[in-house]
Structure formats: structure tokens, C-alpha cells
Amino acid sequence: MAGDKRAIVSSAHLADGAAPALSELEFSLTLAASAYQRWIARCAAAAGLALSPLEVLILHTVRDRAKRIADITLVLDIEDTHLVTYAIRKLERAGLIATHRAGKEKLVAATDAGRDFCAQYRDIRERVLAAAIVVDGPDGAHLSEAADLLRRLSGQYNQAARAAATL
């Protein structure tokens, strides 16, 4: 690394190849993903419900408009449909979503209770997380740049996953 800054990696053997900074990024992604998953679950608990991160994400996805399960898996980039169907069953039993058929398609929509939960979650997120980001940064432009970078990297990792599946 430049200057006296040392890379923080979880596996040095991955950092000695063609793209050493990639190992540093991957370790940071691991930490960020874990922190984000923890945040989602804890914010849901603060809003009054013990939900898994996936359940919360599904609920937010269908809050405004009913969606097909295939659309939910596409939006959330989930390969294992059974994880989504299990989470939907749990959310339906909790009264947070309702399912109905439109022809052969099963549609998933938030109930009033589900939308109320999403509103409480949003309020807690604004108070606890967004307020801290506004004070300490990064600013909106940097957040948007990071989001763009992560979307591009997601595409590269998905392409690499497809290539690895053919080996």
C-alpha cells in the first residue's frame, strides 16, 4: 500500500496475487455485510419485531406494491427461492404480508401492519443511523459513488460466479 498504510486483509495468501487490493476490499465487504445484517435485525427489534434481515428486506420490497416471488428474488439477487418462500410464510403468519393469486402468479403484498412496521423501521433508521451519517459522513455524493462502485463490483462477482460454475 502507499506510504505506511498497511492493507487489512483476512487471508494474506489472497493478497499476493494480481490484485492485492481486492483482498482488502473483500475483507471490508465481509465486515460491512455482517454489520449491515446485524443492523437490519436490531432495527427491526427496536421497531418491535424479531425478524431476520431477509424478512425485513422482503417486507420493504413489497411495502408499496404487490410483487411476484420471482421479482423479489430478482430485486434482492437471491438465488435460492426457497429462502424467500420460507420468509414469506413467516411474514404471512405474523400478519405483515398477504399473498394472493393473479392467474398463475402468486403475489406478495404488505398488510397495514407490515406498512406500519416499515414506517417504524424508517423512523428508527432516520433517528439512529441517518442522523449519525449526516453528522459524521460520508456525504451524499460519496455514498452515491460507493453505491455505484458496489453495483459494478456485484456484476463482476456475479460474472465470476458464472465462470467458476463452468470450471
Side-chain angles (χ1 to χ4, degrees):
M1 302 282 333
D4 58 353
K5 182 182 175 201
R6 296 187 48 117
I8 300 172
V9 299
S10 65
S11 302
H13 69 284
L14 297 176
D16 65 3
L22 187 59
S23 184
E24 184 176 17
L25 171 79
E26 289 171 343
F27 186 51
S28 295
L29 284 173
T30 298
L31 297 177
S34 294
Y36 181 61
Q37 298 284 314
R38 186 177 315 107
W39 156 252
I40 293 172
R42 299 264 167 85
C43 188
L49 294 173
L51 298 176
S52 73
L54 179 58
E55 292 160 2
V56 174
L57 292 172
I58 289 170
L59 190 50
H60 286 301
T61 301
V62 301
R63 184 185 73 85
D64 291 326
R65 187 171 62 88
K67 292 188 177 61
R68 299 175 313 139
I69 291 174
D71 294 330
I72 295 168
T73 60
L74 178 68
V75 166
L76 297 177
D77 196 21
I78 298 171
E79 198 170 288
D80 297 324
T81 305
H82 72 278
L83 296 173
V84 173
T85 56
Y86 178 72
I88 287 170
R89 278 196 305 261
K90 286 180 65 182
L91 290 166
E92 193 168 25
R93 281 194 306 269
L96 299 170
I97 64 166
T99 60
H100 64 278
R101 293 243 176 236
K104 293 184 177 185
E105 299 288 348
K106 183 177 187 177
L107 295 177
V108 180
T111 62
D112 287 341
R115 284 186 291 280
D116 288 346
F117 166 80
C118 288
Q120 288 179 302
Y121 183 100
R122 181 191 181 283
D123 290 345
I124 293 166
R125 181 180 174 273
E126 285 296 311
R127 207 170 57 241
V128 175
L129 181 61
I133 296 289
V134 167
V135 171
D136 293 332
D139 64 21
H142 284 103
L143 289 173
S144 291
E145 287 175 21
D148 180 59
L149 175 62
L150 290 171
R151 282 189 298 271
R152 288 187 290 132
L153 285 167
S154 294
Q156 291 170 324
Y157 275 98
N158 277 329
Q159 179 60 36
R162 285 188 291 274
T166 66
L167 299 178

